[in-house]
Structure formats: structure tokens, C-alpha cells
Amino acid sequence: MTRHLLRDDDLTPAEQAEILDLAIELKKDRWANKALAGPQTVAVIFDKSSTRTRVSFAVGIADLGGSPLIISTANSQLGGKETPSDTARVLERQVAAIVWRTYAQSGLEEMAAGTRVPVVNALSDDFHPCQLLADLLTIREHKGDLKGLTLTFFGDGQSNMAHSYALAGVTAGMHVRIASPADYAPRADVVEAADRRAAETGGSITLLTDPVEAAAGADVVVTDTWVSMGKEEEKLARIRDLGDYKVTPETMTLADSAAVFIHCLPADRGYEVDSEVIDGPQSVVWDEAENRLHAQKALLVWLLGKKDA
């Protein structure tokens, strides 16, 4: 059966842990696994600009013995004359998997429904599951077992990162706090899905508007840019609305003394986070950026294995 990763709760708790275990093994011996030997080709499609996603998938596919085919939708028929499902039916005859960084979640769902090869959400407006696998890998490396840890996300609770932290965090058995103004709270259906998953794992999802309360005792402190791609015209309003949720050195003193700070990057220094934090001793953002490579390689290996099962 072909499996896809379109949103974080597509993985069960056991499957998420299996992929993270595999990522740890692949990181220890980077070139040992050649799941894409041939070389097999993986289509990596970009609607949005990218640094970490583009580099980590291209390098990871090559590490696995494959060939990355980087496609810009600006120079293809996808999103113009051709539907995602038709594009998928063309690509599946020639590639081993499809990775797509796009806007609408519905496009990914249509593509996955129309193909026999794995489809990976490399970022959509709603979710960023590949980033969360890298983040969970990083937290596990620095904090040990994920289950029972408290993770606080500060900023736009309606962002793809907040949604993915809610789903992936509780899948790992973590206690996830989303600290945002009430008008920026996560989507109700995402919170409901997180609650259902938390009932399985012993994790929890809590929405808070008080940043001081949200920071208290946290094991992991997280933020993301306040102005996501496609929302640039909202920058001034977002700076005004989210200013109290900036991660500062004072925020880190409220968290657990051994807390780590993560940020998926790129960071808008001085807005959602102070440079003293991102460059400070509790920051693990550079490990996190590297771990995109290892986590995504593990995901591809796992998905290809499921396809052959």
C-alpha cells in the first residue's frame, strides 16, 4: 500500500518513532543506505522559494543513491494548464516519489489521491511535517525521550508550524502549549485532531494567551517567523499583534533551566526572537537545520519500504 505524508498525524505514534529511530541510524552512517540506487529519481517540486528544503532533499536523495529532479511550477504545467492529479499520473511512471512545497493543502491531497508513488508535503499553508520530524529528532538528541516533555510555541497559532507542532508533538506524547493572541489561535479542527491523538499517547494540547504562563517550566521553546510567505502585506499588523510573544532572554529564564530553543529558520531577528537567544547556549537551531537532511532521508526510506510491502 502506498503511504504519503501530507500532515503530521498521517503517522501513528509507533510510525513516527520508527522514522526517528531510522533517522538516528542514518545520521550515524550517512552513506550506508542506498534505497534509491539505480539511480531512481525523486521529483521535488517548488511553488515557494526555499533554502533548507531544497538543499536537504537534493542532498538526501543523492546520499540515498538517487537523483533529485528539481521542478519549479513557474516553469511547468502544474498549477497552470494541468491538475495535480494529472501531473501525478505522469510523474509516477518515471519517479520513485514526489515531494511538493506548495500553498494549498488541497493540492497535495489531490496529488496523493491520484498516484501510486509516495507524496511528501515539503510545506503547505496548513502543515510542515518534514520540519517537525527534524525538530523532534533534534529535541530527542538533546533531551532524550520525547514523551512527557513540555514544548511551548510562541507566535502565530494559525501558522503551519503551530499546527504541525500541535499534531506531531502530541503524537510523540509531549505536552504542547500554543501561546498566541486569541485571534491567532490554531484552527479548531487541528486542535480537535490533536486532542484525539493526545488521548492515545498521554500528551496534551493547551492554548494560552499569557506568554509568561506559557513559558513557565517549558523544556522546549519554539517560535517561527510572524510573516509567512504570502502574508507580507500583514507585516505591520502582525508586529503589533504578536509583539508580546517575542522570545527573549527573559523568556528563556522562565523556561526550565535546561530548556532548548528551536526555530525552523529563516529567522527575522529582532522580531519573533532576539539574536541573544538564537545565538545563545540554549539554541540548537543549527543542529535542527542539519537534521532536515537525516529526518527526510529516513522518511523517504520508510515510505519506499511501505510501498513495496
Side-chain angles (χ1 to χ4, degrees), residues 14 22 113 116 131 173 185 188 224 280 283 291:
L22 179 56
R116 297 169 293 180
Q131 181 67 57
D224 187 26
S283 173
N291 280 337

Side-chain angles (χ1 to χ4, degrees), residues 40 56 58 67 99 242 251 272 277 302:
Q40 298 179 67
S56 57
S67 176
V99 178
L242 298 171
T251 308
E272 75 270 8
V277 174
W302 188 85

Side-chain angles (χ1 to χ4, degrees), residues 142 247-249 252 257-263 269 273-287:
H142 287 271
V247 176
T248 66
M252 299 305 297
S257 59
V260 295
F261 171 75
I262 61 178
H263 187 309
R269 291 167 179 256
V273 61
D274 282 337
S275 290
E276 296 93 325
V277 174
I278 201 168
D279 294 327
Q282 291 170 282
S283 173
V284 295
V285 299
W286 314 116
D287 292 343

Side-chain angles (χ1 to χ4, degrees), residues 22 25-27 29-42 58-68 96 293 296-298 300-302 304-305 308:
L22 179 56
E25 292 305 310
L26 293 178
K27 187 171 182 177
D29 193 348
R30 180 169 159 181
W31 292 280
N33 190 299
K34 297 298 180 184
L36 289 169
Q40 298 179 67
T41 299
V42 175
V59 172
I61 291 162
D63 282 0
L64 294 172
S67 176
L293 171 67
Q296 289 162 183
K297 286 173 63 177
L300 287 172
V301 171
W302 188 85
L304 292 168
D308 296 335

Side-chain angles (χ1 to χ4, degrees), residues 48 103 124-128 153-166 178-191 205 207-208 224-229 231 234 238 241-242:
K48 297 184 175 186
Y103 292 92
S124 70
D125 287 344
D126 291 349
F127 304 103
H128 199 353
F153 175 92
F154 291 89
D156 180 4
Q158 296 175 354
S159 67
N160 51 12
M161 288 302 299
H163 287 165
S164 279
Y165 276 114
I178 306 294
S180 69
D183 289 344
Y184 288 79
R187 271 191 355 228
D189 64 295
V190 175
V191 176
I205 175 74
L207 309 185
L208 298 168
D224 187 26
T225 180
W226 293 341
V227 186
S228 298
M229 283 178 281
K231 298 184 182 296
E234 301 176 15
R238 286 171 169 266
D241 296 343
L242 298 171

Side-chain angles (χ1 to χ4, degrees), residues 60-80:
I61 291 162
D63 282 0
L64 294 172
S67 176
L69 174 61
I70 308 298
I71 302 171
S72 167
T73 49
N75 299 314
S76 73
Q77 300 293 351
L78 178 61

